Amino acid sequence: MEKIYIYGEREKRINYVEALEACGVKAVVSWKLEDADLCSGLLLPGGADVNPSLYGQENQGSRGIDSLLDQAELGLAHRFVDSGRPILGICRGLQILNIAFGGTLIQNLPTASSHRWEESTGDKQHMITVPTDSFLFPLYGARFSVNSAHHQGAGQVAEHFRIAAQAEDSTVEALAWPEKNIWAVQFHPERMTLRHRRDDTVDGLKIFQFFTGILGQRSA
C-alpha cells in the first residue's frame, strides 16, 4: 500500500487522513521527519501563516507563525522534489510550495473578506476558473465552486509553477509543476468530501483520487 507523509499530529489532520485513506493509501502523520523516508508522496496541509521573512518581507499582518513548522515543511518540499516523489499542497501547503521554489505571498488579500474563514460563517464559498491544461479541468471542467478559508495568497508565482486556477478576483487558487509532480490548491478539498460533503461546492475527493492515482502510475 502506498504511504503519504503529513508532518504533524494525526488527530489534527484527520480530515486529510480520511480523504487519503478513502482512496486506498495509508496516511503517515508524525512529527518524525525520518518517517517521510518511508513514504512515496507528501501532503502539505492547511494551517497558520508562513513567516514572511522567508520570502523577504516584513510582517504586515501574518498571524500564528510557527518557524519550526515552516522550516520542517520547506525542507520536506525540497526533499521530496529532489527524490522525485509527488507532492500535494493544500491552502498553506500551496503557499509553502510557492515560497520553497522562489515565490512570494500577499500577506492580506485586498479581497480577503471574500476568502477567509469566519466564526459566524465558517468556510466561504466562491467560483474559480481553470484553463484547459490545468490538472483540475478533467476533474471538474472550466468553472466550478469551491470553499475558501484564507486571507493570504500567492503573490509572485515561483518560476516553474503554472497557475492552474484563479478566483474571479484573480486570486491564485491552484498551482502546478507537472514535470516535478507538484500539485497545489488554495481551497480545502478535505472539507468538501465524505462526511464534510457540501451542496454548494464540487466533491473534493476527486483531487485526492487524482493525487493517489499518480502514485499508482509511478509504482506500476
Side-chain angles (χ1 to χ4, degrees):
M1 179 182 289
E2 300 284 1
K3 297 178 181 178
I4 308 295
Y5 182 74
I6 306 174
Y7 182 72
E9 185 178 342
R10 186 179 178 91
E11 289 73 18
K12 294 182 178 179
R13 306 293 193 218
I14 195 64
N15 292 340
Y16 303 96
V17 170
E18 290 176 351
L20 287 170
E21 296 190 345
C23 299
V25 301
K26 179 176 177 56
V28 176
V29 188
S30 84
W31 298 110
K32 298 178 181 179
L33 292 171
E34 58 268 29
D35 288 345
D37 295 333
L38 307 174
C39 298
S40 53
L42 172 67
L43 190 152
L44 295 169
D49 297 339
V50 183
N51 192 328
S53 67
L54 293 169
Y55 49 95
Q57 294 182 14
E58 298 293 326
N59 192 326
Q60 299 171 349
S62 295
R63 304 188 295 267
I65 292 169
D66 182 337
S67 293
L68 290 177
L69 175 62
D70 293 345
Q71 293 298 333
E73 292 189 333
L74 288 168
L76 284 164
H78 285 285
R79 197 159 147 191
F80 273 73
V81 166
D82 290 346
S83 60
R85 291 175 290 171
I87 303 173
L88 175 63
I90 293 175
C91 197
R92 169 192 160 91
L94 176 147
Q95 297 168 9
I96 281 283
L97 287 166
N98 194 44
I99 294 166
F101 297 101
T104 66
L105 301 184
I106 300 168
Q107 291 189 52
N108 199 53
L109 294 165
T111 54
S113 61
S114 299
H115 293 272
R116 65 175 174 244
W117 183 95
E118 294 178 352
E119 189 169 353
S120 60
T121 59
D123 290 353
K124 297 293 176 61
Q125 174 271 334
H126 61 73
M127 301 296 294
I128 65 173
T129 302
V130 306
T132 55
D133 62 352
S134 168
F135 70 99
L136 296 169
F137 185 83
L139 306 183
Y140 302 117
R143 191 168 183 271
F144 53 92
S145 177
V146 298
N147 62 0
S148 186
H150 62 102
H151 74 106
Q152 300 193 331
Q156 177 183 333
V157 174
E159 180 182 0
H160 297 288
F161 286 143
R162 304 174 193 173
I163 296 177
Q166 288 183 286
E168 293 175 328
D169 60 9
S170 297
T171 298
V172 173
E173 291 287 336
L175 293 172
W177 188 356
E179 295 79 6
K180 295 294 186 180
N181 266 321
I182 297 178
W183 319 93
V185 296
Q186 184 60 66
F187 50 94
H188 281 270
E190 81 286 358
R191 297 207 295 263
M192 294 161 46
T193 192
L194 302 174
R195 61 193 175 95
H196 301 290
R197 184 74 177 90
R198 297 169 58 121
D199 293 333
D200 59 351
T201 70
V202 293
D203 185 356
L205 190 64
K206 290 185 179 182
I207 291 172
F208 295 95
Q209 291 170 332
F210 165 81
F211 184 62
T212 56
I214 288 172
L215 299 178
Q217 294 168 14
R218 285 170 50 83
S219 61

